[in-house]
Structures are given as C-alpha cells and as structure tokens.
Amino acid sequence: MIVASAPAARCADAIGLGPWHQGAVYGATAALAVSGIIWLVLHYFVAVPGEYGPQIHPLEPWMLRLHGAAAMAGLIIYGSLLPVHVRRAWSLRRNIVLGIALVSVLLLLTITGYLLYYAGDENTRPVISAAHWVLGLAVPALLVWHVVSGRRQTRITETPREHTENDT
C-alpha cells in the first residue's frame, strides 16, 4: 500500500477544509451565484406588462433579498477561511496566485455590494452594478479553478513512502 508521507499529509491537512466548512463555502457560493443570476435574468430580460407599461418581475425584489442574506452568510463563511486556510496556504506558498485572485474578487464584490446598497446614486449605480455582476459571475469559475489547482498541487507534493515488509 502506498501512503503519503507524514509531512506531505500534514501539509494537505493544514490547508484542506473539513466537510462542513467545504460545504458551507460551496453552499454560500451557490446561493450567491444562483440568486444573482436569477436577478440578472429577471431584471434585464423579463418584464411584466403593467397598467402603465412594463414593470419589474415580482420575484426580482425577493432575489435581491435572498442575495443579500446569502451575502451576509458568505461574509462570515469566507471570513472564516482567513485565520487558518488562507494563512497556512500563504506560509506554505500553496496556490498563492489563484488564492490572491479569489480573495481580491471577493473583496471587490463586498465593496461594490456595499456601494450599491449605501452609496449608489443615479449616475454611479449602473457602473457599480455592472462591475458587481461581472465580478460575481467570475467567482464560481475562479473557485473551481482554485480548488482543482489546490488539489492538483496536493497530489503532486505528496510523495509515496517506500514499501516495507509489513505492508505486504
């Protein structure tokens, strides 16, 4: 049987997320992406005829509410990655470029989301909104790329130990 050496296994365990934490990250990302995409489709492509012309779809405000709630959960969940996952990966120099890209995009999404909610006016809102949803659409792909790259790096750095007579 081939087993990863103790140092390689410790490195992987030091960075890898537990099942609950991993599920929380994927769940928050999915909730944010799905609610954001549904809002985009409703806002830009679905209008409901009204007495005085086209009106917003009745689900549009509910998608924004769901998106806001998922954003609050996402802030907690993504923030929980900083003290252990991000710090340990940084010190081990693992998946740095994609990690920085993902953290940067999440930070920009937080800033643009804040600006949309608290600081946007008629002139700035369309620009901030476009930046927010373009960045938001990139997150699922960037997260998948980050995870796949990290797992690939873990497999590459794991070195099999030598067979001993007790292994047979």
Side-chain angles (χ1 to χ4, degrees):
M1 167 181 7
I2 297 177
V3 178
S5 66
R10 274 197 300 273
C11 287
D13 290 342
I15 298 173
L17 302 179
W20 184 90
H21 209 170
Q22 189 176 7
V25 170
Y26 295 163
T29 304
L32 284 162
V34 169
S35 62
I37 290 168
I38 291 172
W39 179 85
L40 277 172
V41 169
L42 293 174
H43 186 75
Y44 289 105
F45 302 108
V46 179
V48 177
E51 185 177 344
Y52 301 104
Q55 297 180 341
I56 66 168
H57 192 281
L59 286 179
E60 191 176 327
W62 287 103
M63 286 300 107
L64 280 181
R65 290 178 184 115
L66 177 61
H67 194 70
M72 298 301 165
L75 285 171
I76 294 167
I77 293 163
Y78 298 138
S80 73
L81 297 172
L82 294 173
V84 178
H85 180 75
V86 172
R87 192 186 64 175
R88 288 182 181 168
W90 184 268
S91 67
L92 292 169
R93 305 317 243 179
R94 299 278 303 278
N95 215 357
I96 296 291
V97 173
L98 287 173
I100 289 171
L102 191 54
V103 168
S104 298
V105 168
L106 291 172
L107 180 61
L108 288 171
L109 279 168
T110 302
I111 292 167
T112 56
Y114 174 87
L115 291 173
L116 283 169
Y117 196 79
Y118 292 108
D121 61 20
E122 284 183 27
N123 299 322
T124 59
R125 180 170 288 280
V127 174
I128 297 167
S129 179
H132 188 76
W133 62 258
V134 166
L135 290 167
L137 289 173
V139 168
L142 193 54
L143 179 61
V144 168
W145 190 9
H146 178 72
V147 169
V148 169
S149 175
R151 288 181 180 168
R152 185 179 310 121
Q153 285 180 10
T154 299
R155 280 194 309 271
I156 290 169
T157 59
E158 288 177 349
T159 55
R161 66 180 173 91
E162 296 296 319
H163 288 284
T164 62
E165 290 180 22
N166 295 336
D167 289 341
T168 56

